[in-house]
Amino acid sequence: MNVAYFTPGPSELYSSVPGHLINGLEKKIFSLSHRSKNYQAIYREAENGIRNLMGIPSSHSIVFLSSATEAMERILQGCVEKCSFHFVNGAFSERFLKISRELGNIGLETTVALGEGFKNLENFKIPKEAEIICLTQNETSTGVSIPEIEIVKLCKNNPSHLVALDVVSSAPYSTIPFEFVDCIFFSVQKCFGLPAGLGVLILSERALRKALSLKDKGISIGSYHSLISLHESGLKAENPETPNVLNIYLLSKVSKEYYETGIENIRSTIEQRAERIYSLIEESTHFEPFVKDSCFRSKTVITVLTHTKALEVREYLKQTGIEVGSGYKQFKDSQIRIANFLAPSDRDFERLLKALKRFPK
Ligand SMILES: *Cc1c(COP(=O)(O)O)cnc(C)c1O
């Protein structure tokens, strides 16, 4: 049976990926030297593809690394001498905080219960000693997102702080206030529908200046990769190491196709599908949304409380050829998570709705 993956990463591959893979093999793209002109053209295409699709201003630089988790570490190494501040509401925001502490920084935090979000951020004062504010725009473990307006209010109220934004499971759907944020990152195995193993990090001039100032002070900002080495190699359309050429090639193709589809069309597809899933589970006697406050409900990762054992629901869906994500850690028995990314076809999406509606028959 052909299984459709509605899992929050790795996820269903975008429909054009098999064709691009075959094409890349036929053209022997994956044997090209990573210092050659032909490769550099692919690197630029991927970079420009992302820039055009997401409307990234020319003031921001785009670099490639191995994962989103690596991006967290590089950001903290490059932007923090002593202290970072974290908004924590789930496993990924907590991971960001933990990395900071493991690097020897003081990691300050504000934490809310799982399933809750952050609002009224115009009144939120970040301690002066924190050098960067770390936000997880879409907390994949709980299906909670922070509205763009709240991020803007927070940034306006704390203009001297750098801001890092994890958009791993919402890009390119989310709108990003680039003028206020400094380090924005995602990996490609979620909403971009590509195989895992490539992270994308977008850096403001302010973030690069900070990294340079730490480096000039003799502080280590990373060895294998640093914000500065990534940026400087990026100026030559290269990476310090031999990069994930295969994925950069696929990203160059898929980002262009997304751009041609149009970001507004992408957003409206995701919104319409999210709306249909949420209304179905709200009306169902078997399911309910985990996130109670609708203004925090993620459009790209939908967390569903199941009244029967979550495993039963997942097994049932599996029999109809649909794979959804399990609940995170302590929620394994009581939740499923449905990734609402772009790759699944309309047909598979209708199959998902139909199966959920019919459960448990
Ligand atoms: C998946 C995910 C990550 C980690 O991505 P990797 O590519 O596995 O490093 C980080 N943050 C969020 C919000 C995620 O969903």
Side-chain angles (χ1 to χ4, degrees), residues 16-30:
S16 64
V17 169
H20 294 313
L21 269 174
I22 292 168
N23 234 321
L25 289 170
E26 281 171 353
K27 291 194 197 146
K28 296 207 169 186
I29 298 286
F30 313 125

Side-chain angles (χ1 to χ4, degrees), residues 93-238:
S93 39
E94 207 174 310
R95 181 87 180 100
F96 211 167
L97 169 65
K98 189 166 171 238
I99 293 174
S100 191
R101 290 181 177 161
E102 284 180 353
L103 289 170
N105 300 324
I106 298 166
L108 302 175
E109 59 175 300
T110 179
T111 298
V112 295
L114 300 176
E116 285 177 19
F118 301 97
K119 62 176 158 193
N120 302 326
L121 293 184
E122 66 272 26
N123 301 322
F124 203 99
K125 261 286 169 226
I126 304 292
K128 230 188 159 76
E129 64 267 32
E131 292 147 88
I132 194 166
I133 306 170
C134 300
L135 294 162
T136 305
Q137 197 272 326
N138 198 68
E139 180 45 83
T140 317
S141 65
T142 57
V144 170
S145 65
I146 308 177
E148 184 195 5
I149 178 119
E150 294 294 334
I151 296 170
V152 171
K153 285 191 228 163
L154 178 73
C155 296
K156 281 190 172 160
N157 200 25
N158 299 277
S160 60
H161 291 80
L162 291 167
V163 179
L165 194 61
D166 175 338
V167 292
V168 179
S169 56
S170 57
Y173 166 76
S174 50
T175 49
I176 298 168
F178 285 105
E179 55 174 313
F180 296 107
V181 289
D182 301 283
C183 307
I184 304 101
F185 60 96
F186 60 91
S187 42
V188 298
Q189 75 275 19
K190 311 235 168 152
C191 219
F192 279 87
L194 297 180
L198 180 68
V200 179
L201 171 58
I202 302 154
L203 295 164
S204 72
E205 289 167 341
R206 198 160 74 133
L208 289 168
R209 274 199 304 276
K210 172 83 186 203
L212 209 49
S213 79
L214 294 186
K215 191 170 174 233
D216 288 345
K217 280 193 193 174
I219 295 168
S220 168
I221 56 168
S223 166
Y224 154 59
H225 276 162
S226 74
L227 300 190
I228 299 299
S229 72
L230 286 164
H231 170 68
E232 285 177 352
S233 303
L235 294 175
K236 297 179 286 181
E238 290 181 8

Side-chain angles (χ1 to χ4, degrees), residues 166-331:
D166 175 338
V167 292
V168 179
S169 56
S170 57
Y173 166 76
S174 50
T175 49
I176 298 168
F178 285 105
E179 55 174 313
F180 296 107
V181 289
D182 301 283
C183 307
I184 304 101
F185 60 96
F186 60 91
S187 42
V188 298
Q189 75 275 19
K190 311 235 168 152
C191 219
F192 279 87
L194 297 180
L198 180 68
V200 179
L201 171 58
I202 302 154
L203 295 164
S204 72
E205 289 167 341
R206 198 160 74 133
L208 289 168
R209 274 199 304 276
K210 172 83 186 203
L212 209 49
S213 79
L214 294 186
K215 191 170 174 233
D216 288 345
K217 280 193 193 174
I219 295 168
S220 168
I221 56 168
S223 166
Y224 154 59
H225 276 162
S226 74
L227 300 190
I228 299 299
S229 72
L230 286 164
H231 170 68
E232 285 177 352
S233 303
L235 294 175
K236 297 179 286 181
E238 290 181 8
N239 262 61
E241 82 294 10
T242 317
N244 188 337
V245 175
L246 186 148
N247 239 334
I248 291 173
Y249 174 72
L250 294 176
L251 183 62
S252 75
K253 299 295 177 194
V254 166
S255 59
K256 199 187 223 168
E257 287 163 2
Y258 277 17
Y259 181 70
E260 281 159 9
T261 303
I263 191 72
E264 290 313 322
N265 291 328
I266 286 174
R267 289 187 178 132
S268 81
T269 300
I270 286 182
E271 274 162 18
Q272 282 168 28
R273 286 184 177 186
E275 170 68 35
R276 291 181 65 196
I277 298 174
Y278 279 118
S279 22
L280 189 152
I281 60 175
E282 278 189 314
E283 285 159 22
S284 165
T285 52
H286 301 284
F287 309 115
E288 62 184 284
F290 172 58
V291 181
K292 297 295 169 258
D293 187 337
S294 61
C295 83
F296 294 134
R297 280 182 194 159
S298 167
K299 301 279 197 287
T300 49
V301 179
I302 296 166
T303 305
V304 182
L305 270 179
T306 60
H307 296 169
T308 44
K309 273 200 174 315
L311 189 64
E312 265 171 45
V313 180
R314 287 177 56 223
E315 283 301 323
Y316 159 87
L317 289 172
K318 207 177 258 181
Q319 276 168 21
T320 72
I322 287 164
E323 186 96 40
V324 296
S326 64
Y328 217 82
K329 290 190 182 145
Q330 69 264 47
F331 296 119

Side-chain angles (χ1 to χ4, degrees), residues 57-69:
S58 57
S59 55
H60 285 54
S61 130
I62 302 170
V63 300
F64 299 116
L65 22 66
S66 67
S67 67
T69 312

